[in-house]
Amino acid sequence: MAKKSKLGQVQKLEEQIKELREKQKKIIEQAQREIGEYVMDSWEVEDIEQAKKLIDQFQSEAKNAFRNMGGNNKGLKEDLTDESIYSQAGSTSA
């Protein structure tokens, strides 16, 4: 009986991990979408290809600006670690 209980716990944890990874993916996609919209609006750019060219053009300047802000040049995916997603999910789960 104890084995079934342990197996059930493992399966439940695996399902929670799967759900958290999906939630993580959605959060990243939403953030990327919001950032894209912000760049397009603030730069008053309507053409996606034009926006990409501007981003490529200012890429090195942006990296230098991040380094000058204290070396915090982590990407969004690095900021949304498993641990931070788990803590977010724990605070919102019922």
Side-chain angles (χ1 to χ4, degrees), residues 23-36:
K23 184 175 181 177
Q24 179 184 32
K25 181 180 174 183
K26 289 179 183 178
I27 290 170
I28 291 169
E29 288 172 353
Q30 180 182 1
Q32 290 172 338
R33 192 169 29 257
E34 288 177 12
I35 291 166

Side-chain angles (χ1 to χ4, degrees), residues 3 7 11 18-19 22 26 32 60 74-75 80 91:
K3 288 184 181 180
L7 182 59
Q11 289 172 338
K18 181 180 175 182
E19 290 173 5
E22 284 297 317
K26 289 179 183 178
Q32 290 172 338
S60 61
K74 295 188 298 183
L80 295 173
S91 65

Side-chain angles (χ1 to χ4, degrees), residues 44-92:
E44 298 179 4
V45 177
E46 295 181 11
D47 180 54
I48 293 173
E49 291 305 314
Q50 183 184 19
K52 287 180 180 180
K53 288 178 185 176
L54 288 170
I55 290 168
D56 289 342
Q57 181 178 345
F58 295 116
Q59 182 178 16
S60 61
E61 290 177 42
K63 287 181 180 180
N64 287 333
F66 279 116
R67 284 188 203 106
N68 292 336
M69 290 172 48
N72 189 12
N73 193 17
K74 295 188 298 183
L76 176 63
K77 290 181 183 177
E78 292 171 353
D79 288 341
L80 295 173
T81 61
D82 288 343
E83 189 173 305
S84 69
I85 295 298
Y86 294 150
S87 65
Q88 279 182 349
S91 65
T92 60

